[in-house]
Amino acid sequence: MEPSLKEKIQNKTQKIEEIIYSYLPEETGYQKTVLSAMNYTMKAGGKRLRPMLMEETFVLFGGTDRELLEPFMAAIEMIHTYSLIHDDLPALDNDDYRRGRKTAHVVYGEAMAILAGDALLNYAFETASKAFRGDERDITVAKAFRILASKPGIYGMIGGQTADVEETEHQIELDKLIFIHENKTSALIECAMMIGAILAGASEQDVKDVEGIARKIGLAFQIQDDILDLTSTQEELGKPVGSDEKNQKNTYVSLKGMEQSVQDVQRYTNEAIQSFDNLGYSNEFLRSLLLYLSGRKK
């Protein structure tokens, strides 16, 4: 019997975690506490969506050299995890639970959580640099490294987070909310899928098309996250629900309403899938995964 999509995702997640864990630092030395805090949050589970999207886009374009791919898979998850550690801090969202476990600042204290986030961001680039081999492949690695450096930065994730923080408790227009969502959420998804395409040797046009697909999937993903924050439970999500309302955050639902939000999740997903089909390459699991993300319950 063919495994279900849920079973396929679980199997792939387990294999991805084995890859990620192989790159985590050993908890020794005078800096042991920060290493422990890094690993505590990295091993808290999660969807491992970004390395999965990276890997499946790599497969989509016929990539075979996993020595190039796997350091970047670990690195993107480190960057994502650092952003979660910092998001949960009292100065930002002030959440005590993430992925069903107490957050790093609750377990290790606020100062060590800040350092653990800083350390994961830096260690992500140290990890990705292991893909360099001193041969002709390094040109491709450098292109991927550039994306890894830019998409989480001031013109990507950090830029979106900045606007999000500044506009908390302020009513904003839809275009600014789209900017926040495209940068705070879509940018890392773009990063993951673009790197997968680049490392597989995709053309510049294909990489650009993948960026557009990932941006719309990221928007659908974030709007669905806004919906779940109002409709799900802490047990299902593994983190507090209602935190957007508690923190007086601008959300898609607060601006457009629940019904329109549900419709727009489907619209952005459909547009992304149409563009995906137009690429002319085939990866049925990746296509199914992109569809699944908009209808997820956690």
Side-chain angles (χ1 to χ4, degrees), residues 7-151:
E7 289 171 333
K8 289 179 181 178
I9 291 173
Q10 288 174 340
N11 291 336
K12 287 179 181 289
T13 300
Q14 183 176 352
K15 291 177 181 178
I16 288 169
E17 289 197 330
E18 291 173 3
I19 292 168
I20 292 169
Y21 292 172
S22 72
Y23 286 97
L24 295 182
E26 185 178 352
E27 297 174 21
T28 59
Y30 288 123
Q31 69 271 53
K32 179 179 179 179
T33 304
V34 76
L35 301 174
S36 175
M38 290 164 64
N39 290 346
Y40 169 81
T41 314
M42 285 293 296
K43 292 181 177 180
K47 292 180 280 290
R48 309 305 188 191
L49 170 63
R50 290 147 193 86
M52 190 178 297
L53 287 171
M54 184 186 292
E55 181 176 37
E56 294 304 322
T57 307
F58 180 77
V59 171
L60 176 71
F61 290 104
T64 58
D65 192 344
R66 297 191 64 87
E67 285 188 356
L68 300 186
L69 175 69
E70 292 185 0
F72 281 95
M73 289 174 63
I76 193 74
E77 191 66 13
M78 290 172 189
I79 291 174
H80 175 56
T81 302
Y82 116 75
S83 74
L84 300 183
I85 291 175
H86 283 186
D87 274 352
D88 291 334
L89 288 168
L92 293 173
D93 291 347
N94 194 24
D95 282 328
D96 291 344
Y97 285 90
R98 171 75 67 171
R99 295 169 173 171
R101 303 175 74 183
K102 289 185 177 180
T103 48
H105 73 268
V106 174
V107 177
Y108 291 92
E110 190 172 352
M112 199 56 63
I114 292 170
L115 291 173
D118 294 345
L120 277 171
L121 176 58
N122 193 81
Y123 195 60
F125 292 101
E126 185 176 339
T127 299
S129 72
K130 294 178 180 179
F132 287 109
R133 290 288 186 272
D135 57 27
E136 69 280 356
R137 295 178 301 177
D138 283 359
I139 295 175
T140 300
V141 174
K143 290 178 180 178
F145 206 87
R146 183 177 182 180
I147 298 298
L148 189 72
S150 62
K151 286 292 184 181

